[in-house]
Amino acid sequence: MPVAHKTGTVKSKQGSNAQSQKAPAAKTVKAASKKKDEEDGTETGEGDEWMQGKTLIKPLDQLDLTEAELKEEFTRILTANNPHAPQNIVRYSFKERSYKPISSVDQLAVHFVLEGNLLHQDSDEARRQRAKQGLPEEKDTVETAVAEKPETPAAGGEDAGDVEEGGGEERADSVESKAGKKEQKITNQFNFSERASQTLNNPLRERGCQTEPPPRANFSATANQWEIYDVYLEVLQKQEKNKEKAKAVPKKDDDKGKKKMMLVETQSDDITKVAKVAKIIERMVNQNTFDDIAQDFKYFEDASDEYREQEGTLLPLWKFQYDKAKRLSVTALCWNESYKDLFAVGLGSYDFTKQGRGMLVFYSLKNSTFPEYIYPTTSGILCLDIHKHLPYLVAVGFYDGCVAVYNLKEETLQPIYKSTAKSGKHTDPVWQVKWQKDDMDNNHNFFSVSSDGRVVSWTLVKNELVFTDIIKLSLEGAVSEGPEGVQLPIMACGTSFDFHKQIDYLFLVGTEEGKIHKCSKAYSSQFLETYNAHNMAVDAVKWNHFHTKVFISCSSDWTVKIWDHTIKTPMFTFDLNASVGDVAWSPYSSTVFAAVTTDGKVHTFDLSINKYEAICQQPVVAKKKTKLTHIEFNPVYPIIIVGDDRGYVTSLKLSPNLRKKPKEKKGQELPKGPEVEIAKMEKLLSLLREPENSNA
Amino acid sequence: RFSAVFIFSPKQAEVEETLKRIQTHKGVIGTIVVNAEGIPIRTTLDNSTTVQYAGLLHQLTMKARSTVRDLDPQNDLTFLRIRSKKHEIMVAPDKEYLLIVIQNPSE
């Protein structure tokens, strides 16, 4: 609180106006006050020298002013404005986002502040303080009251008075305590007594016991999404196992056997578990070594084909060989329909004099150095076929006339089924085997043809191979004199057969005499048709993959012939200058086929491009003396495998010219495969048929 | 350096043969078989190199596998190839084992 003091009027020659007393003190002009002081000084000086006489003593530094100037009136206005206060305070207004001047500026000037300690009577603080101080005050009042009381009822007796006094004193005490906690206890005014007693405090005793800490182990793990997934899978599997156990009847012997197996496994050096991984690594290592071949296989397309017009080339890729099979020749090749990189090689010998053991070997394109599966056999293999739907079942025909079925899933090297002399094995080498559709009892079955003139159907019934003679190939008209004058028909030697792709019962058989018979599974004694195909044994007979009427045949008489089964004469004949070992249609085009000859060449034809010549004739083996024995097209990739008589299998990639598809006209969508192919073939055939018709 | 190998079953012989083929393959510098704890159990390299390869590659394979499985728990790591200037390290993990092969592909 600023101390109010009067503003004094300035006593000066120049007049001044003083304003309200309580207004802030006005600042006086310094010059005026100075002058006043000087005048006072002069006046006192005057007083001293009063005896000497009035003389004005001018200080040396006094302003020299003229009379006019001295008489000039200066008006001084005392205002309530604080001269130190700023006149133009500007504040930033966020609303208007600019600086705005404040309308009125605070004019208060504080000269002196002193905190006082007076409280108003009725304020809270005052009441509180009174409350605290109220006790001694009341005590005084009460005591006076008590003092009064014993005085007044003096007649009551001293006891009473004492009692009362005591009571009064007690009352005083009580009042004290009461005053201390004012709003709490309202005690009896007359005979209140407070009693307290102290109980015996029992001595405190501390007791503790220590146990052995529970064993601790540190555990750390990560909880990833896949770990959770794994655990869930495990739980699921356990649940399923439990379900199965609940259903199945437990056998004690089996359990014991299993336990023994378990023990053995754990004792072994666990190297067997590395098997799968080792296989992967081997393939990787091979991929690295044959990296360029793998790249070629996948990506290389011969660019020079654009300049070559019609011709194409075969690019050699991997070469497959197995040391133990070096002296054997490749007698059969077959691609696996389900695993497109797996193919089977049958090894044996075509040489009549050099018959010995044989081998069934499976290779994968992913590993060209070592076969995936190896099955050594006692007799040379002459043919094999892999089941279309069950990629682990392989039917094999041997030189000694047996047929066998191998199951690749089994760990044994023995076939699961083998025909014996009792069960109707052939008496001559089996030249071809082919799987058929499952019969009505859902048993697998396959056919075989052999030089003994029989076409036999073998059915896998439980653990046995049951055979059924389908047809006996007899030479027309030829009858030989058997013992006791019985006339026995001479059997023709079947060397190859093929089943029609769509018509189930229809099949073709090629014989050693060079004839091709069209047969039906239904008729066991008669042929539907016979074609005088070749002059020598028919090595291969194959139906076209697309066109239902066309088939191809090749023979050691150097020729390859294409037929329409409704016409007795061949549609096309090609002379290849060497004995043709095998011929195969391509799976992607109805007019492309390839043949291998004993001079080591592969001849590729595309009838839609060139009807008279091969579009590619390429030797594929290094040494000229090696004879090529078999050829197969891969169902998916543009590669072919060629087997030769030294046990090698060479894989080759077909260049683009060999894989030509019909050009699509602009604007039209690509027509569906098979129909186009059939149409293509039909067109070719019709060209040939018309002149025939016209001639006829 | 490795202890004698006991052949219990034809399958084991097959695996042994496969490993031998890998070791004698063109360009292969070394082969190491590591168990689930990262301890090499079979090797064709010297001890210090083996221990180093085993330890480092084990961790890397775990990380790679974790990555593949995190992205899709139904997926799993098949193999890992690390191609460097000098050679290529190939790692094929299994549930319990790890097979490491170092090959010089250009040879």
Side-chain angles (χ1 to χ4, degrees):
Chain A
M1 232 160 83
V3 177
H5 62 93
K6 291 178 185 175
T7 55
T9 50
V10 177
K11 191 179 169 188
S12 66
K13 259 191 175 174
Q14 296 96 333
S16 65
N17 294 325
Q19 282 190 342
S20 65
Q21 289 182 355
K22 285 191 178 172
K27 208 181 174 187
T28 55
V29 179
K30 270 187 181 173
S33 61
K34 209 180 177 186
K35 227 189 180 161
K36 173 196 162 195
D37 288 343
E38 284 160 15
E39 274 177 35
D40 283 343
T42 50
E43 271 177 50
T44 49
E46 240 180 275
D48 280 343
E49 291 169 86
W50 191 71
M51 301 304 282
Q52 292 163 3
K54 273 193 184 174
T55 46
L56 276 171
I57 301 172
K58 252 192 179 181
L60 289 166
D61 52 353
Q62 198 183 50
L63 267 173
D64 285 327
L65 293 170
T66 58
E67 282 286 326
E69 282 178 344
L70 283 170
K71 283 186 183 168
E72 209 181 322
E73 281 198 8
F74 286 96
T75 46
R76 299 274 169 222
I77 304 167
L78 289 176
T79 59
N81 289 339
N82 181 357
H84 287 295
Q87 284 155 343
N88 52 353
I89 293 182
V90 182
R91 286 258 155 79
Y92 186 72
S93 159
F94 284 95
K95 191 174 167 190
E96 277 139 57
R97 302 219 186 153
S98 62
Y99 287 95
K100 293 219 108 181
I102 291 177
S103 45
S104 57
V105 179
D106 197 13
Q107 302 292 328
L108 184 71
V110 174
H111 289 281
F112 177 74
V113 176
L114 175 66
E115 292 279 330
N117 51 11
L118 295 177
L119 299 168
H120 191 266
Q121 235 188 164
D122 294 325
S123 71
D124 282 335
E125 187 59 37
R127 256 188 257 137
R128 250 179 266 143
Q129 286 191 4
R130 235 184 282 147
K132 279 186 193 169
Q133 290 164 2
L135 282 172
E137 284 176 24
E138 281 198 34
K139 192 181 170 187
D140 292 335
T141 56
V142 167
E143 275 180 0
T144 52
V146 168
E148 282 170 18
K149 271 193 182 171
E151 284 174 13
T152 48
E158 284 186 353
D159 290 69
D162 283 347
V163 168
E164 288 216 42
E165 235 184 66
E169 282 176 22
E170 287 176 286
R171 244 180 285 137
D173 290 343
S174 74
V175 168
E176 265 185 59
S177 60
K178 178 185 156 195
K181 314 158 196 173
K182 227 184 181 177
E183 284 104 23
Q184 285 180 0
K185 244 190 325 187
I186 301 171
T187 54
N188 186 348
Q189 281 184 27
F190 300 104
N191 56 352
F192 173 80
S193 69
E194 204 168 342
R195 284 213 186 134
S197 64
Q198 186 160 24
T199 57
L200 183 67
N201 285 333
N202 288 325
L204 291 172
R205 193 182 288 179
E206 213 174 280
R207 260 222 181 138
C209 71
Q210 190 169 22
T211 58
E212 219 176 85
R216 283 169 197 224
N218 273 336
F219 171 77
S220 72
T222 49
N224 282 325
Q225 197 180 4
W226 54 269
E227 291 196 11
I228 298 167
Y229 174 84
D230 277 347
V231 172
Y232 269 100
L233 269 185
E234 259 183 61
V235 169
L236 221 125
Q237 279 173 3
K238 273 184 192 171
Q239 277 179 359
E240 281 173 18
K241 270 188 190 172
N242 287 338
K243 276 186 195 171
E244 281 175 33
K245 275 184 186 174
K247 285 180 191 173
V249 177
K251 292 179 188 174
K252 284 184 184 175
D253 293 54
D254 281 355
D255 283 338
K256 279 184 189 169
K258 277 178 195 171
K259 276 181 190 169
K260 278 184 184 171
M261 280 291 290
M262 291 285 285
L263 283 170
V264 168
E265 278 178 34
T266 49
Q267 276 171 9
S268 76
D269 202 9
D270 300 316
I271 278 291
T272 46
K273 290 178 191 173
V274 193
K276 191 186 164 202
V277 183
K279 205 171 202 179
I280 294 174
I281 283 270
E282 199 187 351
R283 287 186 181 183
M284 287 164 76
V285 167
N286 273 310
Q287 189 184 356
N288 275 344
T289 318
F290 299 111
D291 184 50
D292 43 356
I293 296 179
Q295 300 286 337
D296 283 345
F297 159 73
K298 194 84 192 192
Y299 303 115
F300 181 74
E301 299 292 350
D302 202 341
S304 60
D305 264 14
E306 288 171 36
Y307 308 108
R308 252 183 254 163
E309 271 193 37
Q310 292 173 350
E311 288 176 9
T313 50
L314 297 168
L315 177 74
L317 297 172
W318 298 281
K319 236 192 169 181
F320 302 88
Q321 63 188 85
Y322 184 43
D323 338 328
K324 293 184 187 170
K326 265 190 178 162
R327 282 181 223 158
L328 301 167
S329 41
V330 172
T331 53
L333 288 173
C334 185
W335 284 101
N336 193 313
E337 297 285 321
S338 321
Y339 298 100
K340 309 284 165 39
D341 61 303
L342 189 67
F343 64 91
V345 181
L347 296 153
S349 172
Y350 284 122
D351 202 337
F352 180 68
T353 49
K354 287 182 191 170
Q355 282 305 313
R357 58 190 181 87
M359 219 174 249
L360 176 62
V361 168
F362 283 80
Y363 280 102
S364 162
L365 293 178
K366 296 175 187 171
N367 184 351
S368 57
T369 52
F370 199 77
E372 303 288 314
Y373 301 96
I374 307 166
Y375 296 96
T377 57
T378 43
S379 157
I381 295 176
L382 280 181
C383 56
L384 63 91
D385 191 30
I386 303 178
H387 199 286
K388 279 212 165 89
H389 303 294
L390 305 167
Y392 52 88
L393 278 184
V394 185
V396 173
F398 295 98
Y399 197 92
D400 62 1
C402 287
V403 288
V405 177
Y406 283 88
N407 185 337
L408 296 178
K409 280 190 183 174
E410 300 279 323
E411 295 212 0
T412 59
L413 294 174
Q414 296 303 313
I416 49 170
Y417 298 99
K418 197 165 182 183
S419 67
T420 59
K422 284 188 207 167
S423 61
K425 83 173 180 80
H426 292 278
T427 48
D428 270 337
V430 179
W431 289 97
Q432 194 118 23
V433 284
K434 267 254 151 70
W435 283 102
Q436 299 298 304
K437 288 184 192 162
D438 287 357
D439 64 6
M440 285 183 282
D441 301 326
N442 283 339
N443 291 323
H444 308 302
N445 65 338
F446 64 94
F447 276 55
S448 66
V449 71
S450 151
S451 297
D452 66 357
R454 285 162 57 217
V455 176
V456 179
S457 150
W458 305 84
T459 316
L460 277 66
V461 178
K462 286 185 193 174
N463 295 325
E464 286 180 333
L465 261 182
V466 177
F467 82 99
T468 335
D469 270 3
I470 295 296
I471 196 163
K472 288 195 180 159
L473 309 164
S474 53
L475 286 172
E476 282 178 18
V479 164
S480 67
E481 291 274 336
E484 297 169 0
V486 176
Q487 289 185 332
L488 295 166
I490 299 177
M491 299 297 234
C493 306
T495 50
S496 59
F497 70 171
D498 195 21
F499 287 83
H500 198 273
K501 312 286 174 196
Q502 274 105 18
I503 306 167
D504 217 14
Y505 56 82
L506 193 64
F507 65 96
L508 296 163
V509 181
T511 61
E512 216 172 287
E513 293 75 35
K515 291 206 175 90
I516 298 178
H517 303 286
K518 187 167 74 173
C519 319
S520 161
K521 289 186 195 173
Y523 297 106
S524 59
S525 51
Q526 270 194 337
F527 308 128
L528 295 175
E529 188 88 56
T530 308
Y531 310 90
N532 290 320
H534 294 276
N535 302 318
M536 288 180 73
V538 177
D539 282 330
V541 141
K542 299 252 168 88
W543 285 101
N544 189 304
H545 290 283
F546 298 98
H547 202 287
T548 49
K549 287 190 184 174
V550 176
F551 67 90
I552 195 172
S553 67
C554 75
S555 158
S556 317
D557 68 353
W558 296 11
T559 58
V560 172
K561 294 188 184 176
I562 298 180
W563 309 77
D564 179 331
H565 75 97
T566 51
I567 300 171
K568 279 208 159 187
T569 51
M571 310 295 291
F572 295 93
T573 309
F574 302 97
D575 192 331
L576 301 178
N577 289 327
S579 173
V580 184
D582 194 10
V583 71
W585 287 106
S586 76
Y588 50 83
S589 167
S590 62
T591 51
V592 176
F593 65 90
V596 283
T597 56
T598 47
D599 61 354
K601 282 194 187 163
V602 175
H603 304 257
T604 320
F605 292 80
D606 189 345
L607 297 172
S608 57
I609 295 174
N610 190 333
K611 280 186 281 189
Y612 306 105
E613 277 182 343
I615 51 174
C616 171
Q617 283 183 1
Q618 188 171 327
V620 293
V621 275
K623 286 194 176 179
K624 283 203 171 172
K625 285 183 189 171
T626 47
K627 301 173 195 171
L628 297 175
T629 50
H630 280 276
I631 182 169
E632 282 292 335
F633 280 83
N634 185 304
V636 179
Y637 304 115
I639 61 173
I640 51 170
I641 41 170
V642 177
D644 61 23
D645 68 344
R646 293 179 109 238
Y648 295 131
V649 176
T650 318
S651 59
L652 302 141
K653 185 164 183 184
L654 300 160
S655 69
N657 269 351
L658 303 172
R659 302 185 256 134
K660 268 195 181 159
K661 296 208 168 166
K663 285 182 188 170
E664 355 32 290
K665 291 178 190 172
K666 285 181 188 176
Q668 273 186 359
E669 286 177 10
L670 260 180
K672 284 183 190 170
E675 289 163 10
V676 172
E677 302 296 334
I678 294 172
K680 215 173 32 165
M681 198 64 184
E682 193 56 43
K683 208 170 108 180
L684 278 171
L685 295 174
S686 61
L687 288 170
L688 292 169
R689 271 190 228 128
E690 275 178 24
E692 284 183 17
N693 286 339
S694 64
N695 283 342
Chain B
R1 196 190 175 269
F2 189 68
S3 59
V5 173
F6 304 104
I7 298 174
F8 288 116
S9 62
K11 210 178 176 193
Q12 187 155 14
E14 229 181 84
V15 177
E16 294 284 346
E17 226 192 278
T18 311
L19 286 174
K20 204 172 90 176
R21 276 205 306 278
I22 297 171
Q23 283 166 15
T24 50
H25 197 93
K26 193 175 87 161
V28 170
I29 299 168
T31 318
I32 307 169
V33 180
V34 181
N35 75 351
E37 287 138 34
I39 302 165
I41 57 171
R42 188 181 278 228
T43 173
T44 58
L45 302 165
D46 58 278
N47 197 19
S48 52
T49 321
T50 306
V51 167
Q52 208 178 10
Y53 267 104
L56 293 167
L57 287 168
H58 180 75
Q59 289 175 34
L60 183 64
T61 317
M62 289 300 123
K63 188 74 187 176
R65 191 193 226 150
S66 184
T67 312
V68 169
R69 297 213 72 196
D70 261 345
L71 292 168
D72 177 8
Q74 290 178 331
N75 204 353
D76 198 4
L77 182 68
T78 316
F79 63 77
L80 191 63
R81 278 183 197 258
I82 305 160
R83 197 153 202 170
S84 70
K85 282 188 206 166
K86 293 188 184 171
H87 44 244
E88 179 163 343
I89 304 168
M90 291 173 277
V91 182
D94 187 53
K95 253 194 167 172
E96 295 171 22
Y97 291 93
L98 201 67
L99 188 55
I100 304 166
V101 171
I102 306 133
Q103 187 191 21
N104 194 341
S106 55
E107 258 183 49

